[in-house]
Amino acid sequence: MHHGNHFYGHAQVLAGYCGLDPDDPPRIEGYLQHGWNVVDGLGAGTPYAPGAPVFVWSERTRRRAWSMGRPLATVTGAPFLYLLRSAADSANEGEREGTIWYPFHGWEGQRVTGDHLRLIDEIVATETGPVTFCLYWNEYRDDRIRAAYQRAGRVVCHGYRGYLRRQTDARFLHKQLAELRRHRRVASNRLSTAILYGAVAGCAPAVYGDPMYLTGEDTATAERIRREWPELHGTSPDPEPARAVALAELGDGHLASPAELRAILGWPA
């Protein structure tokens, strides 16, 4: 099915959870949500084959998908939660320190418009401990942007998302989980997948600063997100309500057993 099923190594994580070879995950019989969004779970412009299943992260997303004409949406939970469940017992969490900060990012089709230097100044003035800046591959490859963040702190990149099943960093989520477990806080200038991941991985979340915008973005959606999820916005939100919201958005309570997930995704028993 769609190559987006392999973005960030999602198919590989789910294959490993199901007891299959994570280096050669079977074909997923449908469309797998690859990032948090406030529509039907599919990426913008994803060519959809009518009648194909859509595997979404949460019940809220399933209801939105139904309202948008995708009745075959099934809630599976986010792949990150399966990784978190699998890695929980063996994880050796040390003392957490500082903040991992995820600046809002662009992608191949849209660049971010905003003042990175001004954002960095606000971050440095707000955070009390060391800051790790995690840049998306799109900004990490920009020497000017990367250098600006390197002058203010440690800079990392979890890897390349992948495209058409090429150059996918199958360890993307593993790297992200390892970094989140090193830090006390997770923050960004926009509510995003990374903030939800950090909240469920034990970080205190925060969303503040110039939100920046994508080229041609519908800004009304960004404003709606700030209104609809106030629990995660601000420099120091209450971590417990924020974590509860993050768990719901990622589908906690809907995770399947390995046998169930194999059946749902059309994989061999």
Side-chain angles (χ1 to χ4, degrees):
M1 287 297 291
H2 198 265
H3 69 102
N5 294 344
H6 290 255
F7 284 177
Y8 308 110
H10 283 167
Q12 288 87 341
V13 166
L14 296 182
Y17 172 80
C18 288
L20 303 173
D21 184 359
D23 294 326
D24 187 23
R27 169 191 176 106
I28 293 176
E29 297 299 332
Y31 296 82
L32 178 65
Q33 180 177 345
H34 73 259
W36 181 74
N37 65 46
V38 296
V39 284
D40 60 358
L42 297 181
T46 300
Y48 175 72
V54 180
F55 305 114
V56 299
W57 292 0
S58 71
E59 174 60 21
R60 193 171 188 174
T61 305
R62 186 199 66 79
R63 293 197 300 268
R64 287 196 300 263
W66 180 281
S67 73
M68 296 172 68
R70 308 202 196 284
L72 297 180
T74 299
V75 182
T76 58
F80 186 81
L81 290 187
Y82 289 96
L83 177 62
L84 196 61
R85 173 184 283 188
S86 303
D89 293 339
S90 60
N92 183 21
E93 296 190 49
E95 185 70 24
R96 291 174 179 258
E97 183 183 27
T99 302
I100 183 165
W101 226 98
Y102 289 86
F104 184 55
H105 66 79
W107 60 291
E108 294 96 331
Q110 292 174 295
R111 294 186 64 84
V112 166
T113 300
D115 189 334
H116 288 278
L117 295 179
R118 184 175 178 180
L119 178 62
I120 291 169
D121 287 342
E122 182 173 0
I123 294 168
V124 171
T126 302
E127 301 298 333
T128 58
V131 179
T132 295
F133 298 100
C134 183
L135 301 183
Y136 197 57
W137 65 269
N138 203 54
E139 285 72 33
Y140 189 81
R141 292 178 180 178
D142 186 313
D143 293 340
R144 181 182 59 84
I145 293 176
R146 187 177 69 252
Y149 285 97
Q150 285 174 330
R151 286 192 290 270
R154 172 174 173 255
V155 175
V156 299
C157 178
H158 297 322
Y160 181 50
R161 174 207 65 210
Y163 188 72
L164 296 178
R165 298 187 66 173
R166 293 198 295 266
Q167 300 181 19
T168 304
D169 191 330
R171 301 288 296 176
F172 190 104
L173 293 186
H174 299 78
K175 295 176 184 177
Q176 186 165 24
L177 178 57
E179 284 290 344
L180 290 169
R181 283 177 164 163
R182 292 180 55 177
H183 293 84
R184 186 176 58 84
R185 282 167 52 88
V186 60
S188 180
N189 47 338
R190 295 278 284 267
L191 180 54
S192 61
T193 309
I195 293 295
L196 301 180
Y197 288 176
V200 302
C203 300
V207 178
Y208 65 90
D210 176 6
M212 301 186 175
Y213 292 98
L214 294 171
T215 306
E217 181 182 0
D218 176 13
T219 59
T221 300
E223 292 163 2
R224 171 199 153 198
I225 289 173
R226 287 183 172 266
R227 292 194 307 271
E228 196 163 341
W229 286 276
E231 300 90 346
L232 288 141
H233 286 83
T235 57
S236 298
D238 187 332
E240 289 307 312
R243 185 172 188 273
V245 169
L247 285 168
E249 290 298 316
L250 296 177
D252 183 58
H254 295 276
L255 300 188
S257 70
E260 290 171 329
L261 190 59
R262 287 195 298 266
I264 291 168
L265 300 180
W267 286 353

